[in-house]
Amino acid sequence: MINVAFLGPLGTYTHQAVLQQFPDDGNTQYTALKTIPQCFQELTNDLALDYAVVPLENSTNGQVVFTYDILRDLMNECADHMQNQALPKLEIVAEQYVAIDLCLISSEALDIEALGNDTCLKIYSHPQVWGQATGYLDRLRQRVHSLQMIDTTSTSGAVRYCCEKKGLDAPNEIRLAIASSTAAKMHGAFILDSPINDKKGNTTRFLVLRRSDSQRGPLLAQPSVASTSDQQVSLLTFVVTQDAPGSLVDVLNVLKENQINMCSISSRPYHHPDDSKTRLQGESTGARRRKWQYVFFIEVNHDSAVNWAPVVTGLSSKSLRFCFWGTFSRNRRYYEMT
Ligand SMILES: O=C(O)C(=O)C[C@]1(C(=O)O)C=C[C@@H](O)C=C1
């Protein structure tokens, strides 16, 4: 029996990603958690859990920053590292892609045409959704007296909340949720309109994580190399050594020199609480620390026969800190999503 944690409750798009990766074959336990941070924490601390599935990015409105910022902080605060390489307790082992067809959902049957200019609308959903249905929401706002968008920790959680509040609304107040058709069915709710996402093909990418192999050898940890013909993807994060011209290029050149193709790069800011206390490892004394810095996220694709040793050596000398988050096969849905 394997146990998989995910952003719940049942009916979230993350739940859909879990079922794609771990089909319900009677051999899998699904543990719905309340937040994305909780998925990381519980996987790290609860040995009863084997995997966690979290959203990473969406094709319409980009990064799920909750996840990016957790990976950023796990690298920056990692106690276990050697020669600038952070060795976090978690690693990425797979990816999934889910088509996100958003639905406007009500706890009771009502005609969407009934929403008039005296209606005070409260719409609940995960914050990542607002950027995926901007146009729809703007048009809806023109038709009603007021429209409030209220964040919930997940889309399916929004449906559950609206169902719990059923019958408790003021006469002209209506609560709706934006979630999947599965979430509506699971909660016995009604779909008023679908799909309401602005872009066809709206897709969210998910990561599958597990605790990293605690038998890391004495050598610097290197990505696990799967023996497969599938295109391999590795995710790594790093902080450049300083604000000197070319410091980012120096890191990217390590990949180029080792014939490794970078397929994505992004960054997340972080703030050093104090530039006077601790000195970063490898930092020359007296150099003033930057208060406002960036963690770079890079994904590289390669075949399985990569010699990582020179890459690790190069990154150790060209970055202030870096972390390999895992190597996994490119999921076939990457090529299929409409
Ligand atoms: O709330 C959910 O259903 C989730 O799975 C989270 C999430 C996200 O964080 O992006 C996943 C897919 C959609 O983009 C909307 C929300």
Side-chain angles (χ1 to χ4, degrees):
M1 176 72 85
I2 59 167
N3 191 343
V4 184
F6 66 98
L7 175 66
L10 298 182
T12 59
Y13 292 103
T14 306
H15 182 214
Q16 173 62 43
V18 172
L19 294 174
Q20 287 176 192
Q21 184 72 24
F22 303 99
D24 192 358
D25 56 5
N27 196 22
T28 307
Q29 183 178 337
Y30 302 104
T31 302
L33 298 178
K34 283 192 177 58
T35 67
I36 294 172
Q38 211 183 353
C39 293
F40 281 90
Q41 288 150 10
E42 296 296 302
L43 177 62
T44 302
N45 301 324
D46 181 355
L47 300 185
L49 288 172
D50 301 292
Y51 298 93
V53 178
V54 294
L56 181 69
E57 56 200 356
N58 172 267
S59 59
T60 300
N61 66 339
Q63 296 172 338
V64 178
V65 294
F66 308 97
T67 303
Y68 273 82
D69 289 349
I70 292 168
L71 293 171
R72 173 200 65 193
D73 296 343
L74 285 175
M75 176 181 76
N76 278 346
E77 295 154 17
C78 186
D80 186 11
H81 53 77
M82 279 190 279
Q83 291 174 318
N84 300 350
Q85 181 177 6
L87 305 171
K89 293 182 171 53
L90 303 178
E91 65 178 347
I92 301 163
V93 293
E95 63 175 0
Q96 276 295 343
Y97 296 84
V98 173
I100 309 296
D101 290 331
L102 299 171
C103 304
L104 186 64
I105 296 167
S106 168
S107 61
E108 46 204 339
L110 64 88
D111 178 355
I112 191 163
E113 300 312 320
L115 303 183
N117 54 21
D118 64 340
T119 303
C120 295
L121 255 189
K122 287 186 172 182
I123 299 188
Y124 297 82
S125 197
H126 184 281
Q128 192 73 15
V129 161
W130 309 130
Q132 299 170 34
T134 309
Y136 182 87
L137 291 165
D138 286 348
R139 290 190 298 277
L140 189 56
R141 185 179 283 106
Q142 305 307 318
R143 289 174 41 193
V144 295
H145 178 268
S146 65
L147 187 157
Q148 255 185 291
M149 298 185 299
I150 299 148
D151 290 351
T152 54
T153 53
S154 77
T155 59
S156 185
V159 179
R160 182 171 62 183
Y161 178 81
C162 289
C163 292
E164 285 164 0
K165 297 292 181 190
K166 184 173 177 178
L168 301 177
D169 301 333
N172 64 342
E173 183 183 88
I174 294 180
R175 290 179 214 267
L176 301 177
I178 298 179
S180 67
S181 55
T182 307
K185 288 190 195 80
M186 280 190 171
H187 293 91
F190 299 83
I191 295 175
L192 304 189
D193 204 351
S194 167
I196 65 167
N197 34 288
D198 293 335
K199 291 186 181 171
K200 267 178 66 62
N202 185 34
T203 300
T204 293
R205 180 177 177 218
F206 296 83
L207 296 179
V208 180
L209 296 122
R210 72 175 178 203
R211 280 182 298 281
S212 44
D213 177 0
S214 53
Q215 318 305 326
R216 288 175 187 270
L219 288 178
L220 285 178
Q222 293 168 19
S224 54
V225 179
S227 56
T228 165
S229 59
D230 289 346
Q231 169 90 67
Q232 296 295 295
V233 185
S234 298
L235 174 65
L236 66 103
T237 52
F238 63 91
V239 175
V240 295
T241 49
Q242 55 192 331
D243 282 339
S247 54
L248 175 57
V249 169
D250 289 347
V251 176
L252 304 185
N253 272 335
V254 173
L255 304 173
K256 181 180 174 186
E257 284 151 15
N258 289 280
Q259 280 83 46
I260 293 173
N261 176 47
M262 182 176 74
C263 53
S264 77
I265 184 168
S266 59
S267 65
R268 290 295 294 163
Y270 70 98
H271 180 258
H272 269 296
D274 180 335
D275 67 352
S276 59
K277 281 187 190 138
T278 53
R279 287 273 173 254
L280 277 180
Q281 182 185 18
E283 193 173 84
S284 58
T285 52
R288 280 182 68 73
R289 281 251 305 267
R290 294 156 285 172
K291 278 193 171 236
W292 187 262
Q293 292 193 63
Y294 294 90
V295 168
F296 287 94
F297 291 73
I298 280 192
E299 286 195 278
V300 294
N301 46 32
H302 49 84
D303 57 32
S304 50
V306 170
N307 174 12
W308 288 103
V311 181
V312 171
T313 306
L315 293 175
S316 288
S317 65
K318 298 297 184 189
S319 68
L320 203 56
R321 177 180 324 117
F322 73 99
C323 176
F324 272 112
W325 283 100
T327 295
F328 46 94
S329 293
R330 176 61 81 197
N331 187 288
R332 63 177 169 72
R333 285 184 169 87
Y334 173 86
Y335 306 100
E336 292 168 1
M337 298 310 287
T338 49

